[in-house]
Amino acid sequence: MAHRFLLTAGLLLGGIALAPQAAQAGWSEYSSAISEVDACNQAQYLMPEQAVVQEFRYGMRTTKEGNTFTCKVRWSESAKAQPTDQPILFPSRIRQPIFAAGWL
């Protein structure tokens, strides 16, 4: 009886492994100490090569060590997936350091 179960399970898993790949969807997530933009860029690098971005979600956590920015990117490999073509919108203005533009 146990042999029949193992044979059936093995054939089923083998058939799934050899079946053509279906379109997949998923999330990529990355945390950065630099910025929201860095976190979202790195999360997009974790997507599969042909994936299309469907949505961005990001947040910030402040601790004694500093800020941590997290971005989650929802993607799809479906042939019917349409890109959002929307920029990443941030909830507040990103502060620029005084010395960044060479003012002083």
Side-chain angles (χ1 to χ4, degrees):
M1 187 69 153
H3 295 294
R4 185 179 303 167
F5 173 75
L6 292 175
L7 178 64
T8 305
L11 290 174
L12 180 65
L13 291 175
I16 290 173
L18 296 176
Q21 289 288 343
Q24 295 182 355
W27 290 88
S28 296
E29 182 175 355
Y30 193 85
S31 295
S32 171
I34 298 172
S35 70
E36 297 99 332
V37 175
D38 180 53
C40 288
N41 283 341
Q42 296 299 328
Q44 289 181 73
Y45 287 130
L46 298 175
M47 296 181 343
E49 198 169 311
Q50 301 298 321
V52 177
V53 174
Q54 301 292 295
E55 176 183 2
F56 290 99
R57 290 186 186 176
Y58 53 89
M60 182 182 79
R61 185 179 48 226
T62 303
T63 61
K64 287 188 269 186
E65 290 80 33
N67 295 332
T68 301
F69 304 95
T70 302
C71 183
K72 289 179 75 172
V73 178
R74 184 171 61 90
W75 50 265
S76 174
E77 288 185 309
S78 171
K80 297 178 183 177
Q82 296 295 319
T84 60
D85 292 331
Q86 294 179 350
I88 304 170
L89 302 176
F90 299 107
S92 60
R93 185 175 176 186
I94 298 173
R95 296 184 314 180
Q96 182 178 9
I98 294 174
F99 298 106
W103 297 336
L104 296 177

